[in-house]
Amino acid sequence: MRTLVSTSPVARSPRRLRLTLAVAALTTLALSACGTEKTDADGPQSKHVDTAGARPNAAFTEMLGQVAQSCPPSAAPEAPPTGPAETLSPGSVETPPSEAIEPIAPTAGPEVELNARDWCAGVRHEQRIAQELWDLADPTPTKVRAILNDLGYIDERIHDLEQSGTTTRFFVDLRDRGGRLCLDGSAAGEQTVVEMCVAPASGPFTPEKR
């Protein structure tokens, strides 16, 4: 028996409906894939922004390492000598009193509280900052901050930047690798002074009273 297959539009409509649904499904998948690619593309961009925000801290840490590159490891400094520097021959000078007062070794301050690495790096930080501030005319806080930033010191480590008369005072927190180094500076042209100071071993930076 011969079976007749109808070619009328009514007979083909279910097939067309299936094809339409299949095309719609493929279109939806394609759009979803595009959305996924866009999301993935945005992901690295967000990470890039975060990385860029962290770059100043990385650069600051790198600068600290470069300044202290030739310094000794972080070991406690030796106590300064208390005896005479050299032995004098008899008769060369007057004999000192029998109860001569020997120099007293410091018991606090950078000399005894900073390790060898911090002390070495501190001298270098003092020199590089003071050298740039000596020639600064009208050392306002804005100008001093700009110079410190140019040298690699970030705002998060600059404290109490304030002007008094023609002098701008500031502190710089240089704590690194468990050290306690900080700088106490005063920008005043040729009267500029930058000295080492001792920061707390941990926690927020709280400079000592001047």
Side-chain angles (χ1 to χ4, degrees):
M1 179 177 180
R2 186 177 180 182
T3 303
L4 299 177
V5 179
S6 175
T7 58
S8 66
V10 175
R12 290 202 303 264
S13 59
R15 183 179 179 184
R16 287 183 179 179
L17 179 59
R18 288 196 297 271
L19 289 175
T20 302
L21 292 175
V23 171
L26 291 174
T27 303
T28 302
L29 289 174
L31 292 175
S32 298
C34 292
T36 302
E37 290 178 359
K38 181 175 180 59
T39 302
D40 293 340
D42 291 342
Q45 183 176 4
S46 300
K47 292 179 181 179
H48 177 72
V49 172
D50 293 340
T51 302
R55 281 177 184 172
N57 288 334
F60 175 72
T61 302
E62 182 179 359
M63 181 271 291
L64 293 181
Q66 291 176 350
V67 172
Q69 186 173 7
S70 60
C71 291
S74 300
E78 296 180 359
T82 57
E86 59 181 4
T87 303
L88 301 176
S89 58
S92 59
V93 293
E94 295 182 2
T95 303
S98 58
E99 296 181 358
I101 300 176
E102 294 183 355
I104 301 175
T107 58
E111 294 87 353
V112 296
E113 297 183 60
L114 295 179
N115 59 45
R117 183 177 185 272
D118 277 352
W119 184 267
C120 171
V123 173
R124 289 163 170 73
H125 285 292
E126 287 177 349
Q127 293 173 346
R128 69 195 304 262
I129 293 177
Q131 185 174 357
E132 294 297 324
L133 294 178
W134 280 333
D135 298 328
L136 179 62
D138 186 22
T140 62
T142 301
K143 293 180 180 179
V144 171
R145 184 184 296 276
I147 286 180
L148 292 175
N149 290 159
D150 288 342
L151 290 173
Y153 303 97
I154 57 178
D155 289 338
E156 290 83 353
R157 295 296 191 103
I158 301 172
H159 300 274
D160 293 0
L161 186 65
E162 56 186 18
Q163 186 171 6
S164 177
T166 58
T167 300
T168 292
R169 306 294 299 271
F170 61 92
F171 283 97
V172 183
D173 178 7
L174 298 176
R175 290 178 293 180
D176 181 45
R177 301 186 184 183
R180 303 180 60 188
L181 176 63
C182 65
L183 296 180
D184 181 355
S186 60
E190 295 182 356
Q191 305 300 320
T192 293
V193 177
V194 182
E195 298 178 325
M196 283 180 276
C197 59
V198 181
S202 61
F205 179 77
T206 52
E208 299 176 352
K209 294 182 179 180
R210 292 188 172 105

